[in-house]
Amino acid sequence: MLVLHHLENSRSQRIAWALEVIGVEYEVKTYLRTPDNLAPDTLKRIHPLGHAPVLQDGEITIAESGAILEFLADEYDPERRLKPEDKKSLRDYRYWLHFAEGSFMPLLVMMLLFRKIPKQPMPFFVRPVAKSICNRVVSSFIEPRLRDVLSLIEDHLTQNNWFAGDKLSAADMQMSFPIFAMSASMPLEGYPHIERWLVAVRKDAAYQRAVVQVGEFKVF
Ligand SMILES: N[C@@H](CCC(=O)N[C@@H](CS)C(=O)NCC(=O)O)C(=O)O
């Protein structure tokens, strides 16, 4: 049976959603985060980097959520519920599948780190300087780029119901994690089509079953 190594409140939710969409049997092994919000060392026994998600299929161990979704599409989805067939949708599928981890997540991780740095232990006289530098990086570098990302997504979802055409696909699953993270840290009122997409995701029956398995995304 497929085994999903799931870290609480993490990207593993994408994989549980995909597994529910294709209706394949799987077992979830849940790992709790450390007090520093990291993965526990036990996850390194499954994959050397110790990140989640990791999927095991017998002797095969796969990390990277995009690679796992592609593996499931190739090996377990004869009805092509995860990957569209027509050329235009397939191009969009590939773009957003890579965009989520290649362009979107690095900005979110940077924002998380720069917001955390001034809260770390440090001499009291250093803190105001650290705070001012970090705020500057967030406001002048990270936030404008995130606004560009949201506008790009909003434009795309104005013309498409889902990320890859008219049907839900693994591109939506891959994009769900950064969009949930964004929506948890700022209101998306100016982005009605992203909001509309979020409502559709939460209504999806397979998504709801995945939430029962691995929980809903919470803010860090
Ligand atoms: N690009 C990887 C990122 C994996 C990753 O960083 N996962 C996070 C959870 S969302 C993690 O394991 N964090 C714990 C840690 O870094 O210790 C993917 O898409 O799977």
Side-chain angles (χ1 to χ4, degrees):
M1 195 197 308
L2 293 174
V3 180
L4 170 61
H5 294 272
H6 158 63
L7 178 66
E8 61 172 336
N9 200 23
S10 78
R11 291 162 170 91
S12 332
Q13 194 190 46
R14 294 163 164 165
I15 310 304
W17 187 9
L19 289 161
E20 291 294 339
V21 164
I22 55 181
V24 69
E25 237 189 295
Y26 65 103
E27 182 194 339
V28 178
K29 288 207 172 143
T30 301
Y31 299 77
L32 299 183
R33 287 182 183 265
T34 66
D36 291 333
N37 221 3
L38 299 175
D41 278 349
T42 43
L43 203 46
K44 286 209 170 121
R45 288 187 209 137
I46 311 301
H47 186 276
L49 294 184
H51 292 162
V54 179
L55 186 78
Q56 282 183 312
D57 182 5
E59 299 293 296
I60 305 171
T61 301
I62 312 164
E64 278 301 324
S65 36
I68 297 171
L69 291 171
E70 288 274 46
F71 172 80
L72 291 175
D74 289 348
E75 303 292 330
Y76 285 95
D77 185 24
E79 291 171 29
R80 287 190 85 117
R81 293 196 175 128
L82 295 179
K83 190 169 178 170
E85 238 161 333
D86 73 276
K87 279 200 166 178
K88 155 88 174 73
S89 305
L90 200 52
R91 266 199 313 276
D92 285 343
Y93 162 88
R94 257 192 224 113
Y95 177 74
W96 295 108
L97 198 77
H98 289 278
F99 179 89
E101 288 296 316
S103 293
F104 200 171
M105 279 309 300
L107 289 170
L108 290 178
V109 172
M110 259 192 268
M111 186 154 80
L112 190 72
L113 289 178
F114 278 97
R115 281 184 177 167
K116 265 190 179 174
I117 290 169
K119 294 179 188 151
Q120 300 307 303
M122 62 183 77
F124 73 93
F125 55 88
V126 175
R127 193 179 304 281
V129 181
K131 205 170 169 182
S132 154
I133 294 172
C134 290
N135 285 348
R136 185 81 205 253
V137 175
V138 171
S139 67
S140 67
F141 181 84
I142 303 175
E143 281 176 352
R145 279 164 180 77
L146 278 173
R147 274 195 294 277
D148 287 348
V149 164
L150 287 177
S151 300
L152 180 78
I153 297 172
E154 177 68 15
D155 266 7
H156 183 73
L157 292 177
T158 305
Q159 292 155 45
N160 301 272
N161 282 337
W162 298 96
F163 276 96
D166 275 343
K167 270 174 42 196
L168 174 77
S169 75
D172 298 281
M173 289 150 211
Q174 187 74 341
M175 285 296 287
S176 62
F177 185 76
I179 294 182
F180 279 134
M182 281 266 27
S183 74
S185 68
M186 67 176 267
L188 293 177
E189 281 140 23
Y191 305 96
H193 289 88
I194 301 181
E195 284 199 315
R196 187 256 311 144
W197 176 87
L198 272 171
V199 171
V201 165
R202 291 199 169 103
K203 272 194 194 149
D204 181 66
Y207 172 79
Q208 290 173 5
R209 290 196 299 276
V211 167
V212 172
Q213 294 295 323
V214 298
E216 186 120 40
F217 175 77
K218 294 184 261 106
V219 199
F220 292 107

